[in-house]
Amino acid sequence: MKMGTALIYDEEMTKYKLLWVDPVCKIEVPERLIVSYEALVKSGLADRCVSIPVREATDAEILLAHSEEYLEAVKKTPFMHLEELMTFTQKYGDVYFHPNIYHCAKLAVGATLQLVDNVMTGKVRNGMALVRPPGHHSQSSAANGFCVFNNVAIAAQYAKKHHKAKRVLIVDWDVHHGQGVQYCFEDDPSVLYFSWHRYEHQSFWPNLRESDFDSVGSGKGAGFNVNVPWNKVGMGNSDYLAVFFHVLLPVAYEFSPDLVFICAGFDSAIGDPEGHMSATPDIFAHLTHLLMNLADGKVCAVLEGGYNLTSLAQSVCQTVQTLLGDPAPRPAQLGGACESALESIHSARAIHKKYWSCLQHAAAPFPEEPSSKNRRLAQQGGSQGPEGDAGGDAQKEEPEKVEEKEEEEIVWPEPLRRVAPSLRSALLLPDAVECPDGCARFSPAHGPGPLERARLRKSYLKESEDEASVTLLYNLTALLGQMEKNEIRNGLALVPDVSMAATLLTSASLSKRVLLVWMGEGPVPAQIIEDEKTLVVHIDSMEPHEAQSKYYIPITLKKGCGDTAGVVQAVLGLLLPLGYQYEPGLVLLARPPGCQVKGGLWQQLTCLLQGLALGHTLVLLQENETAPVGITASGLLGNAALSLGPLVAPGPEDVGSFEGLRLRLQTDWPLLQTTAPEKR
Ligand SMILES: NCCCNCCCCCC(=O)CS
Ligand SMILES: [Zn+2]
């Protein structure tokens, strides 16, 4: 599988700036690019990337998303003097021109196309284009919101035209609505545009009615535009992850793109003067990770906004470090999405229920009242924002014309350094089974002493078991020990008895919390279920039944784990939220005998779970079922899981039991929530 992360940047794109007084545009400064690139260099991340040169976009490429008259008009700006530039700028909104901005805008588009070329031809797996001016607000014949040419919209058209991309996903995590992208693909079912954005019931810029959740695209494009409006500020890590788990990822996996763009705006991070959100820079590592197993890993991140130079630089580093495959950081204490976010999630799921089978039985029916009712509610000081009564500007409806008050200094902890252990994947395999290339066959520094042997035999084996079984158990605990000391990132063990191995590992683990994912036939050993520090998520065709304990969660699939669409739904909507909220120090993925999970899905699972526990994932396979060894090792090594292809609808009875489980568990596990309390 392709490895390598491209970084596309050129300091020429810092060579334009605002030449007059304009309070709206003054935040869009060259330093945005300088501090981002410098942070990548200082952290050593830039050197680990494949540096790809920028180029100028051609007219033909720009015309993929813009009109000739607009391009011709912009072409004149290099020759304008100040007054002419100011007059020209007046034709558009919230943007400024400069004699060199046309050159830089061509480089921003060209940089994005270079990224697409290198990803689509497999020279690199993924990459980031650090560009300015940004693009997602610019429209066919208009500059807008600091944007001149729509970098990502052009690149999506280019990928369809020159690289035969059939389905392109654009994830816009910038805090503003990329209306330019939405307009460009309004009726195009081959481009799925997802955007969350500060909206506050249309009272926030760009104040568009069509930024609300009920803009779903039109004609053949209906369903391929997904808007999640933030009607309060202060949205945080839990809100962002809840939208990924319950809106974006189920739809994205069903869409099954062959290329993913990220409109990577970081004005959605804490400290930004535009966003006023609370999500911390490390969340972008998780958002990136959760997208990296779509489209066989072909992810193109393109910088959009981001105006707090500190959170911008940190967020860019978090994103690039994840694209490089480094272990994800521990997610900050996660709770459930706030009430306002849940309303938006509920609305987006409800309105898209008729377009996406993953939402068909899950999302509640779309209520009749138009969003104006929500607006009225808001005006009456409706539901609490995430700060609750902690103030912030979540409470009061900011009168639009307020002068930007002196921003109080917002501080947050710098993201922790993410150190990848020297050895990534260690495999514990019987000698007869060959070790896939790239992995290391695990062998402990020294074998078990007689006391150790006796203890292991007494605790886990019957007298009759041979010495080899004792050695295996010892090796398992040694592998676990090296993982928990972060000397090894992850591992795989082929064992004669998955249940016994899982029992040994959960009891031997030093982690305060262990997540055990059991894919298939039970029973899960009672000793593990009773173990308070282990959360067991068991996916199988067992009869739906009440969880015996808060820490044993059975997820029923009528057709068992062979039902790929059902497993995907269970993983995205239940397992991952549970795992992220639980924040384990170790993840065990057990494949009991007779497990039906198909290869590609097994690899997706192996990859997705690495977003937890700093990537400490230990996979247990049944010794005589060696088929999954190769794909499991590939996933553990950080290769992107292969695309599953478009997904069919999960069975209604399965979704019914998922929703029943969600309702039962969401009090203990609020990240499972998809609707606001009063809507239940
Ligand atoms: N402070 C509240 C007023 C809103 N100003 C918006 C100005 C355009 C922002 C465009 C942008 O950030 C591109 S990502
Ligand atoms: Zn923005």
Side-chain angles (χ1 to χ4, degrees):
M1 279 293 282
K2 259 300 133 221
M3 296 305 267
T5 293
L7 177 59
I8 304 171
Y9 167 76
D10 190 297
E11 68 163 8
E12 179 59 22
M13 287 182 279
T14 67
K15 305 264 190 281
Y16 79 91
K17 64 182 180 180
L18 181 58
L19 295 175
W20 51 81
V21 174
D22 176 344
V24 169
C25 293
K26 70 176 189 245
I27 53 175
E28 207 296 305
V29 295
E31 289 72 16
R32 296 180 54 234
L33 231 40
I34 294 167
V35 300
S36 300
Y37 185 66
E38 274 179 2
L40 289 171
V41 171
K42 219 167 39 211
S43 58
L45 292 170
D47 287 346
R48 293 172 55 195
C49 294
V50 178
S51 175
I52 305 279
V54 297
R55 69 166 170 88
E56 285 195 356
T58 65
D59 287 7
E61 288 158 351
I62 293 166
L63 295 174
L64 286 171
H66 295 284
S67 67
E68 296 218 10
E69 49 275 2
Y70 176 63
L71 175 54
E72 290 316 308
V74 173
K75 275 185 179 174
K76 298 190 175 68
T77 53
F79 315 104
M80 292 181 181
H81 52 55
L82 196 59
E83 283 67 33
E84 289 171 312
L85 280 171
M86 292 175 79
T87 307
F88 184 77
T89 294
Q90 295 315 312
K91 290 200 294 187
Y92 307 109
D94 303 293
V95 63
Y96 64 87
F97 279 82
H98 175 282
N100 197 35
I101 198 169
Y102 169 54
H103 180 215
C104 295
K106 283 191 288 182
L107 291 176
V109 173
T112 309
L113 301 184
Q114 288 280 81
L115 177 54
V116 171
D117 284 343
N118 281 271
V119 166
M120 289 303 280
T121 58
K123 288 194 183 51
V124 292
R125 174 173 58 175
N126 56 35
M128 176 149 207
L130 271 186
V131 299
R132 77 184 269 274
H136 68 152
H137 297 301
S138 59
Q139 295 140 54
S140 177
S141 299
N144 179 263
F146 314 152
C147 306
V148 175
F149 298 138
N150 201 316
N151 307 315
V152 169
I154 292 168
Q157 299 288 34
Y158 175 89
K160 285 171 60 180
K161 183 174 179 186
H162 297 289
H163 292 285
K164 306 288 165 274
K166 297 271 171 304
R167 292 185 300 278
V168 179
L169 168 65
I170 300 172
V171 178
D172 191 335
W173 69 40
D174 186 286
V175 86
H176 299 96
H177 180 219
Q179 82 278 39
V181 183
Q182 172 167 310
Y183 298 156
C184 185
F185 301 108
E186 180 77 25
D187 61 355
D188 183 344
S190 70
V191 179
L192 170 56
Y193 177 60
F194 166 89
S195 171
W196 61 39
H197 33 269
R198 184 176 170 186
Y199 190 58
E200 293 172 295
H201 299 292
Q202 204 176 330
S203 68
F204 186 70
W205 188 90
N207 311 91
L208 299 171
R209 175 67 187 80
E210 61 270 30
S211 301
D212 209 347
F213 60 82
D214 54 347
S215 287
V216 296
S218 55
K220 293 193 307 302
F224 295 90
N225 191 84
V226 182
N227 284 339
V228 176
W230 299 127
N231 288 317
K232 296 272 181 194
V233 289
M235 295 300 170
N237 297 342
S238 304
D239 304 299
Y240 287 13
L241 284 175
V243 170
F244 264 54
F245 294 139
H246 303 309
V247 182
L248 173 61
L249 291 175
V251 167
Y253 268 88
E254 181 172 337
F255 180 62
S256 183
D258 38 37
L259 176 60
V260 177
F261 284 101
I262 303 175
C263 282
F266 297 105
D267 40 21
S268 45
I270 190 166
D272 190 274
E274 278 289 315
H276 288 254
M277 297 299 169
S278 310
T280 46
D282 52 296
I283 199 59
F284 295 103
H286 292 287
L287 303 184
T288 305
H289 170 79
L290 290 166
L291 296 171
M292 279 171 70
N293 291 292
L294 291 161
D296 303 340
K298 296 196 292 298
V299 176
C300 298
V302 184
L303 182 67
E304 295 283 357
Y307 307 97
N308 176 307
L309 300 183
T310 307
S311 65
L312 169 63
Q314 291 174 0
S315 304
V316 165
C317 288
Q318 289 296 313
T319 303
V320 171
Q321 189 169 8
T322 302
L323 289 171
L324 280 163
D326 275 12
R330 278 195 183 295
Q333 265 63 32
L334 295 172
C338 73
E339 190 154 357
S340 176
L342 286 172
E343 283 176 9
S344 301
I345 290 169
H346 173 91
S347 300
R349 284 164 58 93
I351 197 114
H352 278 281
K353 164 190 183 83
K354 63 190 216 186
Y355 302 109
W356 298 98
S357 62
C358 60
L359 299 174
Q360 209 163 8
H361 311 288
F366 182 62
E368 285 331 302
E369 82 274 3
S371 64
S372 57
K373 178 194 160 206
N374 302 341
R375 236 193 318 286
R376 215 177 33 256
L377 263 183
Q379 254 88 47
Q380 293 148 12
S383 51
Q384 292 289 8
E387 282 94 5
D389 53 9
D393 37 13
Q395 290 311 307
K396 44 196 173 309
E397 283 299 305
E398 267 175 80
E400 192 41 40
K401 294 295 156 254
V402 71
E403 277 313 302
E404 290 301 308
K405 56 194 174 310
E406 219 11 70
E407 298 289 332
E408 68 283 353
E409 182 60 26
I410 296 176
V411 290
W412 61 92
E414 187 169 342
L416 294 176
R417 263 171 55 76
R418 294 153 58 187
V419 180
S422 48
L423 177 60
R424 174 149 187 162
S425 304
L427 308 188
L428 197 48
L429 304 169
D431 297 345
V433 178
E434 48 149 333
C435 187
D437 51 0
C439 301
R441 189 182 288 271
F442 179 75
S443 61
H446 47 75
L451 279 183
E452 189 59 34
R453 285 187 170 284
R455 189 187 66 76
L456 285 168
R457 180 179 289 287
K458 189 164 63 62
S459 315
Y460 298 97
L461 296 170
K462 297 177 278 305
E463 265 319 301
S464 61
E465 299 274 349
D466 61 8
E467 279 310 293
S469 308
V470 178
T471 307
L472 174 76
L473 290 187
Y474 175 80
N475 291 345
L476 258 181
T477 54
L479 172 55
L480 174 65
Q482 286 196 24
M483 267 174 64
E484 296 193 321
K485 281 184 291 196
N486 207 29
E487 291 161 7
I488 297 175
R489 187 191 311 199
N490 56 44
L492 180 163
L494 237 57
V495 294
D497 180 339
V498 168
S499 294
M500 188 241 290
T503 307
L504 166 76
L505 291 166
T506 46
S507 61
S509 169
L510 302 175
S511 300
K512 286 197 300 298
R513 290 182 299 279
V514 176
L515 170 66
L516 170 62
V517 182
W518 192 277
M519 299 301 293
E521 287 296 303
V524 177
Q527 181 182 338
I528 299 178
I529 291 179
E530 281 137 24
D531 174 352
E532 275 292 283
K533 74 166 193 255
T534 301
L535 170 66
V536 180
V537 178
H538 183 184
I539 300 183
D540 186 28
S541 56
M542 77 289 251
E543 276 312 304
H545 64 297
E546 284 278 325
Q548 289 112 318
S549 93
K550 172 180 172 183
Y551 293 96
Y552 172 72
I553 297 174
I555 300 177
T556 298
L557 282 168
K558 271 245 173 318
K559 291 176 286 183
C561 293
D563 171 8
T564 295
V567 173
V568 169
Q569 190 76 341
V571 168
L572 299 177
L574 296 170
L575 171 59
L576 288 179
L578 287 166
Y580 269 83
Q581 178 141 22
Y582 187 56
E583 209 201 310
L586 170 71
V587 174
L588 296 179
L589 172 58
R591 187 184 176 96
C595 170
Q596 305 291 316
V597 176
K598 294 188 175 63
L601 176 56
W602 183 258
Q603 194 175 24
Q604 287 283 343
L605 194 48
T606 305
C607 293
L608 284 168
L609 287 172
Q610 290 179 61
L612 298 167
L614 302 178
H616 295 319
T617 312
L618 182 42
V619 183
L620 296 173
L621 300 178
Q622 188 65 26
E623 201 163 61
N624 54 12
E625 295 182 4
T626 55
V629 170
I631 51 165
T632 308
S634 173
L636 291 174
L637 279 172
N639 294 314
L642 295 181
S643 175
L644 296 172
L647 292 174
V648 297
E653 62 282 351
D654 287 343
V655 178
S657 64
F658 295 168
E659 291 314 305
L661 200 57
R662 182 191 312 285
L663 281 178
R664 278 206 311 276
L665 294 176
Q666 62 189 14
T667 313
D668 286 330
W669 305 96
L671 199 47
L672 290 176
Q673 292 174 54
T674 57
T675 58
E678 87 280 352
K679 277 208 171 59
R680 264 174 233 134

